Every structure is written in C-alpha cells, then in structure tokens.
Amino acid sequence: DQQVKQNSPSLSVQEGRISILNCDYTNSMFDYFLWYKKYPAEGPTFLISISSIKDKNEDGRFTVFLNKSAKHLSLHIVPSQPGDSAVYFCAATNYGQNFVFGPGTRLSVLP
Amino acid sequence: DTEVTQTPKHLVMGMTNKKSLKCEQHMGHRAMYWYKQKAKKPPELMFVYSYEKLSINESVPSRFSPECPNSSLLNLHLHALQPEDSALYLCASSQGEQGLGSYNEQFFGPGTRLTVL
C-alpha cells in the first residue's frame, strides 16, 4: 500500500511557464514533507520542505503548498527552466521515522 | 563541507563475494541512512543510524550488514548477495533522526551502482 502517491509519472511544460507537481499521502501521522529532485546517475537533491503546521513555503522559484484536510501537497516551479528537467520525488516523514518516498514524476521543460 | 560522499561509484560482485560500501559526511549530522533504489522506482529505506546506533532496520535480509564506526562514517557490508540485489545504493544524512523541521532534511550522496552477477 503506497503511503505517498504521485499519480502523474510524467509532465511536460514549456519554458517560462509554471510546473505543478502533485503528491497525495494516506498516513495522517506524517508531519513533515519534502521535495527532492533527481538527475540520472545522481543521488536525490533536497529542494524544499514544509511542516504540517504550515500551508505554504516559498524558496525562490519553488513553492510548496500543503492541504492537510485533503492530504495533498503540490510543488510549483515558476518560471520553469530547461535545467529543471529531472525526476521529482515527494517524501514524507513522521518525526524522522517512517521516511517514505513517492514514485516520482519526470518533469520535462521544453525550450 | 556540505557533501555526502560514497565509494565506490560502481561495484560488480559475484554471489560469493564479500564487499563493503562506504559513506562519509562532515556536516556534523547525527543521523545516517541507507537506501536502495531500483530502476524507475523511488528510494526504499533500509537502515537508519541515529547517534551511531542502529535505530531502524526495515526488514532487510541479513546478507546486508550496516556498520557505523563513528558519527561521520557509515558502511554497508555485503555478503552472499543475489542478482536481484543489483540496484543503486544511496547514503543520506540529516541533522537528527527525530525532531521537527530541518532535522528531517536528508542530504544524499551520489550512490553506488551495484551489480551482482
């Protein structure tokens, strides 16, 4: 049973437009959520995170939104750049225990 | 130094071999993790060390044996592996295993690509 789901295996976006990556979770005990970006043959790189006590966190071009009642979070990238093309993993944890990754969404930003 | 390093980058071993994967960080992090990632799948947590003590073992077969000699080093000893153990093995570290906020942000190494023949 997948506790963290990313229902879109892939997403294509034009350069300069907004990319929206979605993530759903089932475990209401998760209290912290993270987004990682992964290029081929490299380890995941931490992007941005959000605590369950917040509903939004922004860092430059990246914004994460959390809707606790819907158990849904999303990552917005604006403007999207070709260098953003990678696989994006959503991850969730409960006080550092039970650290779970979603299956990933492959983002392609087209020039 | 904000890097997690892993050696070797690639490893090919037979099913009767004994080998070790190494991971190192100098960020003062007190939690270190081993993950296994198969192609086109998310990383799966294997082990967590917190303050050099094994705190989580996600039902990993005994042919994988972790070791944390000190707070900067994490090893994964491999013995009698199976071809299905071929995968990318990722090491990560974070400030602390338990706690709020940034304690949970894990920094990953580049991984060791393991092939078992």
Side-chain angles (χ1 to χ4, degrees):
Chain A
D1 177 35
Q2 271 190 323
Q3 295 188 67
V4 177
K5 302 175 188 180
Q6 293 175 257
N7 291 324
S8 298
S10 62
L11 174 69
S12 291
V13 169
Q14 210 66 37
E15 181 179 4
R17 298 289 184 105
I18 184 170
S19 296
I20 299 176
L21 298 103
N22 293 305
C23 177
D24 297 286
Y25 62 96
T26 56
N27 188 342
S28 56
M29 298 300 290
F30 288 142
D31 70 322
Y32 201 74
F33 305 90
L34 309 93
W35 283 95
Y36 286 84
K37 170 177 164 180
K38 188 177 186 302
Y39 294 116
E42 292 184 14
T45 302
F46 169 73
L47 268 180
I48 192 169
S49 59
I50 188 166
S51 164
S52 59
I53 62 173
K54 295 188 173 183
D55 55 19
K56 178 182 174 182
N57 188 27
E58 195 171 347
D59 183 3
R61 296 187 297 116
F62 302 92
T63 304
V64 56
F65 296 92
L66 175 63
N67 181 334
K68 272 188 72 175
S69 60
K71 295 194 179 72
H72 176 84
L73 61 154
S74 60
L75 174 68
H76 293 212
I77 306 172
V78 56
S80 301
Q81 298 172 354
D84 295 329
S85 297
V87 176
Y88 288 78
F89 290 102
C90 170
T93 184
N94 171 22
Y95 279 80
Q97 302 289 327
N98 198 22
F99 202 91
V100 181
F101 280 80
T105 295
R106 181 175 300 280
L107 173 67
S108 300
V109 179
L110 309 171
Chain B
D1 184 357
T2 57
E3 208 180 25
V4 177
T5 58
Q6 289 187 245
T7 55
K9 287 189 78 171
H10 301 274
L11 178 63
V12 179
M13 60 186 289
M15 290 193 287
T16 57
N17 291 158
K18 279 186 183 179
K19 296 284 184 184
S20 296
L21 309 184
K22 296 186 186 304
C23 174
E24 194 166 356
Q25 58 87 15
H26 295 287
M27 294 179 277
H29 288 175
R30 302 314 301 267
M32 296 185 77
Y33 310 76
W34 279 115
Y35 287 85
K36 174 181 176 178
Q37 186 179 23
K38 301 282 269 185
K40 299 189 179 176
K41 296 284 187 184
E44 292 179 5
L45 184 64
M46 298 173 73
F47 301 104
V48 181
Y49 271 83
S50 177
Y51 292 85
E52 294 126 69
K53 287 188 171 36
L54 183 64
S55 63
I56 294 178
N57 175 342
E58 292 285 355
S59 304
V60 180
S62 59
R63 57 186 185 267
F64 295 91
S65 173
E67 179 199 15
C68 190
N70 60 55
S71 59
S72 300
L73 291 173
L74 185 66
N75 298 322
L76 186 63
H77 302 299
L78 315 172
H79 175 54
L81 294 194
Q82 305 294 312
E84 59 264 29
D85 296 322
S86 299
L88 180 69
Y89 287 84
L90 293 161
C91 173
S93 70
S94 66
Q95 280 187 284
E97 177 199 342
Q98 293 179 325
L100 294 173
S102 62
Y103 278 79
N104 289 320
E105 286 161 10
Q106 296 185 8
F107 293 82
F108 283 83
T112 294
R113 174 76 55 194
L114 174 67
T115 303
V116 182
L117 301 176

Coordinates of all heavy atoms in Angstrom, one line a residue, chain B residues 5-42:
Chain B
T5 N 29.7 11.8 0.6 CA 30.5 11.1 -0.4 C 30.3 9.6 -0.2 O 30.1 9.1 0.9 CB 32.0 11.4 -0.3 OG1 32.4 11.0 1.0 CG2 32.2 12.9 -0.6
Q6 N 30.3 8.9 -1.4 CA 30.1 7.4 -1.3 C 31.2 6.8 -2.2 O 31.4 7.3 -3.3 CB 28.7 7.0 -1.9 CG 27.6 7.4 -0.9 CD 26.3 6.8 -1.4 OE1 25.3 7.5 -1.7 NE2 26.1 5.5 -1.4
T7 N 31.7 5.7 -1.7 CA 32.7 4.9 -2.5 C 32.3 3.4 -2.4 O 31.9 3.0 -1.3 CB 34.1 5.1 -2.1 OG1 34.2 4.8 -0.7 CG2 34.6 6.5 -2.4
P8 N 32.6 2.6 -3.5 CA 32.9 3.1 -4.8 C 31.7 3.6 -5.6 O 30.6 3.5 -5.1 CB 33.4 1.8 -5.5 CG 32.6 0.7 -4.8 CD 32.4 1.2 -3.4
K9 N 31.9 4.2 -6.7 CA 30.8 4.7 -7.6 C 30.1 3.5 -8.2 O 28.9 3.5 -8.4 CB 31.3 5.6 -8.6 CG 31.7 7.0 -8.1 CD 32.0 7.9 -9.3 CE 30.7 8.5 -9.9 NZ 30.9 9.6 -10.8
H10 N 30.9 2.5 -8.6 CA 30.3 1.3 -9.3 C 31.0 0.1 -8.6 O 32.2 0.1 -8.2 CB 30.7 1.3 -10.8 CG 30.1 2.5 -11.5 ND1 28.9 2.5 -12.0 CD2 30.7 3.6 -11.8 CE1 28.7 3.7 -12.6 NE2 29.8 4.4 -12.5
L11 N 30.2 -1.0 -8.5 CA 30.8 -2.2 -7.9 C 30.1 -3.4 -8.6 O 28.9 -3.4 -8.7 CB 30.5 -2.3 -6.4 CG 30.9 -3.5 -5.7 CD1 32.5 -3.7 -5.8 CD2 30.5 -3.5 -4.2
V12 N 30.9 -4.3 -9.1 CA 30.4 -5.6 -9.7 C 30.9 -6.7 -8.8 O 32.1 -6.8 -8.5 CB 30.9 -5.8 -11.1 CG1 30.3 -7.1 -11.7 CG2 30.4 -4.6 -12.0
M13 N 30.1 -7.6 -8.3 CA 30.5 -8.6 -7.5 C 29.7 -9.9 -7.8 O 28.6 -9.9 -8.3 CB 30.3 -8.2 -6.0 CG 28.9 -7.9 -5.6 SD 28.8 -7.3 -3.9 CE 29.2 -8.8 -2.9
G14 N 30.4 -11.0 -7.5 CA 29.8 -12.3 -7.6 C 29.0 -12.7 -6.4 O 29.1 -12.0 -5.3
M15 N 28.2 -13.7 -6.5 CA 27.3 -14.0 -5.3 C 28.0 -14.6 -4.1 O 27.5 -14.6 -3.0 CB 26.2 -15.1 -5.8 CG 25.2 -14.4 -6.8 SD 23.8 -15.5 -7.0 CE 24.5 -16.7 -8.1
T16 N 29.3 -15.0 -4.3 CA 30.0 -15.5 -3.2 C 31.0 -14.4 -2.6 O 31.7 -14.7 -1.6 CB 30.8 -16.7 -3.6 OG1 31.7 -16.4 -4.6 CG2 29.9 -17.9 -4.0
N17 N 31.0 -13.3 -3.2 CA 32.0 -12.2 -2.7 C 31.5 -11.6 -1.4 O 30.3 -11.6 -1.1 CB 32.1 -11.2 -3.8 CG 32.9 -11.7 -5.0 OD1 32.7 -11.1 -6.1 ND2 33.6 -12.7 -4.9
K18 N 32.5 -11.0 -0.8 CA 32.2 -10.0 0.3 C 32.8 -8.7 0.0 O 34.0 -8.6 -0.4 CB 32.9 -10.5 1.6 CG 32.2 -11.6 2.4 CD 33.0 -11.8 3.7 CE 32.4 -13.0 4.5 NZ 33.1 -13.2 5.7
K19 N 31.9 -7.7 0.0 CA 32.4 -6.3 -0.3 C 31.7 -5.4 0.7 O 30.8 -5.7 1.4 CB 32.0 -6.0 -1.7 CG 32.6 -6.8 -2.8 CD 34.0 -6.4 -3.0 CE 34.6 -7.2 -4.2 NZ 36.1 -6.9 -4.4
S20 N 32.2 -4.1 0.7 CA 31.6 -3.1 1.5 C 31.4 -1.8 0.8 O 32.3 -1.4 -0.1 CB 32.5 -2.8 2.7 OG 32.7 -3.9 3.5
L21 N 30.3 -1.1 1.1 CA 30.1 0.2 0.5 C 30.4 1.2 1.7 O 30.1 0.9 2.8 CB 28.6 0.4 0.1 CG 28.0 -0.7 -0.8 CD1 26.6 -0.3 -1.2 CD2 28.9 -0.9 -2.0
K22 N 30.9 2.3 1.3 CA 31.3 3.3 2.3 C 30.6 4.7 2.0 O 30.4 5.1 0.9 CB 32.8 3.5 2.3 CG 33.6 2.3 2.7 CD 35.1 2.6 2.8 CE 35.8 1.3 3.1 NZ 35.4 0.6 4.3
C23 N 30.3 5.3 3.1 CA 29.6 6.6 3.1 C 30.3 7.5 4.1 O 30.6 7.1 5.2 CB 28.2 6.5 3.3 SG 27.2 8.0 3.5
E24 N 30.5 8.8 3.8 CA 31.1 9.7 4.7 C 30.5 11.1 4.6 O 30.1 11.6 3.5 CB 32.6 9.8 4.4 CG 33.4 10.5 5.4 CD 34.9 10.3 5.2 OE1 35.3 9.5 4.3 OE2 35.7 10.8 6.0
Q25 N 30.3 11.8 5.7 CA 29.8 13.1 5.7 C 30.5 13.9 6.9 O 30.8 13.3 7.9 CB 28.3 13.2 5.9 CG 27.7 12.5 7.1 CD 27.7 13.4 8.4 OE1 27.8 14.6 8.3 NE2 27.5 12.8 9.5
H26 N 30.7 15.2 6.6 CA 31.4 16.0 7.6 C 30.6 17.2 7.9 O 31.1 18.3 8.1 CB 32.8 16.4 7.1 CG 33.7 15.2 7.0 ND1 34.3 14.5 8.1 CD2 34.1 14.5 5.9 CE1 35.0 13.5 7.6 NE2 34.9 13.5 6.3
M27 N 29.3 17.1 8.0 CA 28.4 18.2 8.3 C 27.9 18.2 9.7 O 27.1 19.0 10.1 CB 27.1 18.1 7.4 CG 27.5 18.3 5.9 SD 26.1 18.2 4.8 CE 26.0 16.4 4.6
G28 N 28.5 17.2 10.5 CA 28.1 17.1 11.9 C 26.7 16.5 12.1 O 26.1 16.6 13.2
H29 N 26.2 15.9 11.0 CA 24.9 15.2 11.1 C 25.0 14.0 12.0 O 26.0 13.3 12.0 CB 24.4 14.8 9.7 CG 24.0 16.0 8.9 ND1 23.6 15.9 7.6 CD2 23.9 17.3 9.2 CE1 23.3 17.1 7.1 NE2 23.4 17.9 8.1
R30 N 23.9 13.7 12.8 CA 23.9 12.6 13.7 C 23.0 11.5 13.3 O 22.9 10.5 14.0 CB 23.5 13.1 15.1 CG 24.4 14.2 15.6 CD 25.9 14.0 15.5 NE 26.3 12.7 16.1 CZ 26.8 12.7 17.4 NH1 26.9 13.8 18.1 NH2 27.2 11.6 17.9
A31 N 22.4 11.6 12.1 CA 21.6 10.5 11.6 C 22.1 10.2 10.2 O 22.4 11.1 9.4 CB 20.1 10.9 11.5
M32 N 22.2 8.9 9.9 CA 22.7 8.5 8.6 C 21.8 7.3 8.2 O 21.3 6.5 9.0 CB 24.2 8.1 8.6 CG 25.1 9.3 8.9 SD 26.8 8.9 8.8 CE 27.1 8.9 7.0
Y33 N 21.6 7.2 6.8 CA 20.6 6.3 6.3 C 21.2 5.5 5.1 O 22.0 6.1 4.3 CB 19.5 7.1 5.7 CG 18.9 8.2 6.7 CD1 19.5 9.4 6.9 CD2 17.6 7.9 7.3 CE1 19.0 10.3 7.8 CE2 17.1 8.9 8.1 CZ 17.8 10.1 8.4 OH 17.2 11.0 9.2
W34 N 20.8 4.3 4.9 CA 21.0 3.6 3.7 C 19.7 3.4 3.0 O 18.7 2.9 3.6 CB 21.6 2.2 3.9 CG 23.1 2.2 4.2 CD1 23.8 1.9 5.3 CD2 24.1 2.6 3.2 NE1 25.1 2.0 5.1 CE2 25.4 2.4 3.8 CE3 24.1 3.0 1.9 CZ2 26.6 2.7 3.2 CZ3 25.3 3.3 1.2 CH2 26.5 3.1 1.9
Y35 N 19.7 3.7 1.7 CA 18.5 3.4 0.8 C 18.9 2.5 -0.3 O 20.1 2.6 -0.8 CB 18.0 4.7 0.2 CG 17.3 5.6 1.1 CD1 18.0 6.5 1.9 CD2 15.9 5.6 1.2 CE1 17.3 7.4 2.8 CE2 15.2 6.5 2.0 CZ 15.9 7.4 2.8 OH 15.2 8.3 3.6
K36 N 18.0 1.8 -0.9 CA 18.2 1.0 -2.1 C 17.2 1.5 -3.1 O 16.0 1.8 -2.8 CB 17.8 -0.5 -1.8 CG 17.8 -1.4 -3.0 CD 17.5 -2.8 -2.6 CE 17.3 -3.7 -3.7 NZ 17.0 -5.1 -3.3
Q37 N 17.7 1.8 -4.3 CA 16.8 2.3 -5.4 C 17.0 1.4 -6.6 O 18.1 1.4 -7.2 CB 17.1 3.7 -5.7 CG 16.1 4.3 -6.7 CD 16.3 5.7 -7.1 OE1 17.4 6.3 -6.9 NE2 15.3 6.4 -7.5
K38 N 15.9 0.8 -7.0 CA 15.9 0.0 -8.3 C 15.4 1.0 -9.4 O 14.9 2.1 -9.1 CB 14.8 -1.1 -8.2 CG 15.1 -2.1 -7.1 CD 16.2 -3.1 -7.4 CE 15.7 -4.3 -8.1 NZ 16.7 -5.3 -8.4
A39 N 15.7 0.6 -10.6 CA 15.5 1.5 -11.8 C 14.0 1.9 -11.8 O 13.1 1.1 -11.7 CB 15.8 0.7 -13.1
K40 N 13.8 3.2 -12.0 CA 12.4 3.8 -12.2 C 11.5 3.5 -11.0 O 10.3 3.5 -11.1 CB 11.8 3.2 -13.4 CG 12.5 3.6 -14.7 CD 11.8 3.2 -15.9 CE 12.6 3.6 -17.1 NZ 12.0 3.3 -18.4
K41 N 12.2 3.4 -9.8 CA 11.4 3.2 -8.6 C 11.9 4.3 -7.6 O 13.0 4.8 -7.7 CB 11.6 1.8 -8.0 CG 11.1 0.7 -8.8 CD 9.6 0.6 -8.7 CE 9.1 -0.6 -9.4 NZ 7.7 -0.7 -9.5
P42 N 11.2 4.6 -6.5 CA 11.7 5.5 -5.5 C 12.7 4.9 -4.6 O 12.7 3.6 -4.5 CB 10.4 5.9 -4.8 CG 9.5 4.8 -4.9 CD 9.8 4.2 -6.3

